């Protein structure tokens, strides 16, 4: 059965390591010799709480999370955090500045793709402060309407004392990622942030979490990620929250802040050790297996070097194909994501992309269709995709020059 598995280049939920899935099958039947499956055991059992502590410890050590920050687990995905970060950070700001009006309170959003755009729309919907666009990358793009790169640092316009400064580190749909090299023009402009105090810097790391080190991790107020790309199945949301952002949201509500639903309050989750209510036990278990495997392989350094090589090889093949007129890379050089590579197939008729997908599928490579909102092709190279699988795809990309033999199924 395992041999019939396709290579899943999908953007999420996405590939998980086969060894982990095999191990998880055993745990589903009998978790750690308890005689009870992981999906059946109490989240308050000592076996499960110890596993949760191990998961936290694995994230802390592999990512070098400082003790100023708590690691907490919740549900609701990245989308849940679009709301939760706003409510928690507005509560913090209200406690710091109780007398500001909603108009005077500002939330800064950096727009580099569809996900940060969605997050900003949710912030607007929730209200409680005005939303300031630090920069909209579309206005700096080649066609003035696409998200095709990280804008120049000079284009970022931060507010003086915002309640939060939001960015999405890797835009899964558009294939745009901030560079992890601080000397790159496509890096996040940390040096431009307002001076003094603790930055209310919030980062969506949903599609790059645990794929490489997080630059300036200690300077972030909140980092969040759904597990379903590099870490495990959907259903688990991981947060790294600086302690000053874990505030008494009810005290803030008494001062006029929007009340925070109890399961979204960082303080409620943190005080309860991420067990205020029933967590996603199965997802937590599989995430634990994934990160134990990562640790054995060499941790984040190992994945950083493998992921860099994988992305370099795919980009090189696409650039070479682009020079021959076969492909169009949608993202400017330097801003291209390591995790999600987006491009168009140009030659061999209007249905070139359908043919490309059919040809890939015939070779067992699936999940390559671009997001429905932007079309094209998207290759997701999350941690579970091996170098060998990447090389097979690269060979296909390079060889895809005379696909007349590929017939479209009706
Ligand atoms: C960067 C990013 N942020 C947020 C989300 C939304 O996550 P969820 O579907 O877990 O709510 C996604 C989903 O793919 C994503 O890629």
């Amino acid at each position: 059965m395992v041999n019939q598995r396709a290579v899943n280049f999908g953007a999420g939920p996405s590939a998980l390591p086969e060894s982990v899935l095999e191990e998880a099958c055993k745990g589903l039947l009998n978790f750690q010799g308890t005689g009870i499956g992981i999906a059946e055991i109490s989240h308050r059992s000592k076996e499960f709480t110890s596993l949760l502590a191990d998961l936290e410890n694995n994230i802390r050590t592999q990512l070098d999370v400082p003790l100023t920050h708590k690691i907490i687990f919740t549900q609701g995905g990245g989308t849940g955090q679009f709301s939760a970060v706003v409510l928690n950070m507005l509560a913090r700001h209200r406690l710091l500045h109780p007398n500001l009006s909603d108009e005077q309170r500002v939330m800064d959003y950096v727009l580099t793709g569809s996900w940060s755009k969605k997050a900003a729309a949710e912030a607007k919907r929730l209200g409680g402060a005005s939303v300031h666009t630090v920069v909209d990358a579309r206005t700096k793009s080649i066609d003035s309407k696409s998200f095709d790169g990280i804008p120049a640092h000079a284009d970022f316009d931060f507010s003086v004392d915002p309640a939060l400064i939001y960015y999405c580190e890797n835009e899964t749909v558009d294939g745009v990622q901030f560079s992890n090299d601080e000397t790159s023009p496509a890096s996040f402009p940390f040096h431009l942030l307002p001076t003094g105090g603790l930055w209310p810097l919030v980062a969506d790391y949903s599609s790059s979490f645990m794929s490489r080190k997080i630059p300036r991790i200690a300077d972030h107020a909140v980092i969040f990620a759904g597990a379903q790309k590099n870490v495990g199945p959907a259903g688990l949301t991981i947060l790294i929250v600086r302690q000053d952002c874990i505030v008494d949201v009810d005290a803030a509500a008494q001062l006029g802040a929007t009340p925070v639903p109890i399961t979204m309050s960082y303080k409620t989750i943190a005080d309860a050790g991420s067990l205020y209510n029933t967590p996603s036990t199965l997802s937590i278990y599989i995430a634990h297996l994934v990160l134990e495997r990562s640790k054995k392989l060499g941790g984040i350094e190992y994945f950083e070097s493998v992921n860099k090589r994988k992305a370099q090889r795919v980009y090189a093949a696409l650039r070479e194909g682009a020079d021959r007129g076969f492909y169009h890379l949608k993202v400017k050089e330097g801003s291209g994501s390591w995790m999600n590579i987006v491009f168009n197939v140009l030659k061999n008729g209007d249905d070139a992309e359908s043919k490309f997908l059919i040809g890939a599928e015939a070779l067992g490579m699936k999940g390559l269709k671009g997001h429905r909102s932007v079309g094209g092709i998207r290759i997701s190279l999350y941690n579970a995709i091996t170098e060998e699988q990447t090389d097979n795809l690269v060979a296909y990309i390079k060889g895809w020059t005379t696909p007349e033999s590929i017939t479209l199924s009706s």
Side-chain angles (χ1 to χ4, degrees), residues 11-12 76-82 115-116 118 166 168-173 204-208 224-229 234-237 340 378 382:
T79 310
Q81 288 309 307
F82 294 171
W115 286 115
S116 46
K118 249 187 157 172
Y166 185 102
C168 176
E169 198 268 346
N170 182 58
E171 288 283 0
T172 324
V173 171
D204 175 359
Y205 263 80
S206 289
S207 48
S208 53
F224 68 84
Q228 68 269 24
K229 319 288 187 184
L236 167 65
T237 314
N340 314 96
R378 170 171 56 177
Y382 298 125

